[in-house]
Amino acid sequence: MMAPLPPALKHCFSDYSMNLTCITDEPPQNFSHPDVYALFEITQMICRKDQKGLQEKYSHIGIDQDVFDAVKSITALDIKPVPDSKGGKVKMWTSVNEWQQEIYKSGQEAARRELIAHMLENHWDADTIHQATAIPLGEIREVARELQH
């Protein structure tokens, strides 16, 4: 046992040895089941940031929803599944690619808002910011309102 149990509870648990593996170190080839192989391989590719490998291998292959959910849980990525045309399958590469684009877009938006806020804090008026950056006046005014509150 790894943790001591009160004697009254010992009969409720079996004490058996379990082989633990580190998902980022175990070669996927060690597993013959295709879902387990995919789980290890995709997780390792994501951890290594191997976008090219992920794209080459999984851009045309759908994976089971259960495998997708396990990868999402292990990697803690907030990826939305993109359904494959085959029922119950997920397009893994498309899902990761769309997630990356969302992250990039939200980063761009945050950087833009930070730029506007910085310019406003340095006493630039909305029209001057618009002329210098081509950022829509509505967006500039929205950031200005947020800064006032």
Side-chain angles (χ1 to χ4, degrees):
M1 282 275 152
M2 291 179 65
L5 281 176
L9 293 178
K10 276 196 175 189
H11 73 281
C12 298
F13 297 93
S14 298
D15 191 11
Y16 59 92
S17 59
M18 178 188 297
N19 295 327
L20 298 177
T21 62
C22 180
I23 198 160
T24 57
D25 293 338
E26 191 70 31
Q29 297 80 1
N30 288 355
F31 303 99
S32 58
H33 193 284
D35 288 345
V36 177
Y37 181 95
L39 172 66
F40 274 71
E41 184 174 55
I42 293 168
T43 302
Q44 289 174 6
M45 287 177 170
I46 290 172
C47 290
R48 286 191 318 260
K49 299 180 176 148
D50 183 5
Q51 295 176 352
K52 185 177 180 184
L54 193 61
Q55 181 180 15
E56 287 173 358
K57 178 90 185 249
Y58 290 96
S59 61
H60 303 292
I61 298 173
I63 63 167
D64 286 337
Q65 180 70 47
D66 292 340
V67 174
F68 177 85
D69 291 341
V71 169
K72 182 178 171 181
S73 177
I74 291 167
T75 60
L77 298 178
D78 189 20
I79 307 171
K80 296 178 186 101
V82 175
D84 197 349
S85 57
K86 301 170 188 164
K89 299 283 185 179
V90 175
K91 294 180 180 179
M92 190 67 211
W93 167 247
T94 306
S95 299
V96 169
N97 194 31
E98 287 183 8
W99 171 78
Q100 288 174 326
Q101 289 174 2
E102 287 175 21
I103 295 297
Y104 181 76
K105 184 179 176 187
S106 68
Q108 280 184 320
E109 290 170 1
R112 235 165 96 135
R113 294 180 89 64
E114 190 174 320
L115 172 68
I116 294 167
H118 184 70
M119 293 173 93
L120 289 167
E121 289 166 353
N122 284 305
H123 309 290
W124 288 51
D125 62 78
D127 289 326
T128 306
I129 295 171
H130 170 68
Q131 289 171 357
T133 63
I135 296 173
L137 279 170
E139 186 177 344
I140 297 167
R141 289 185 180 124
E142 182 181 327
V143 173
R145 279 191 297 275
E146 289 173 7
L147 289 174
Q148 291 174 351
H149 295 293

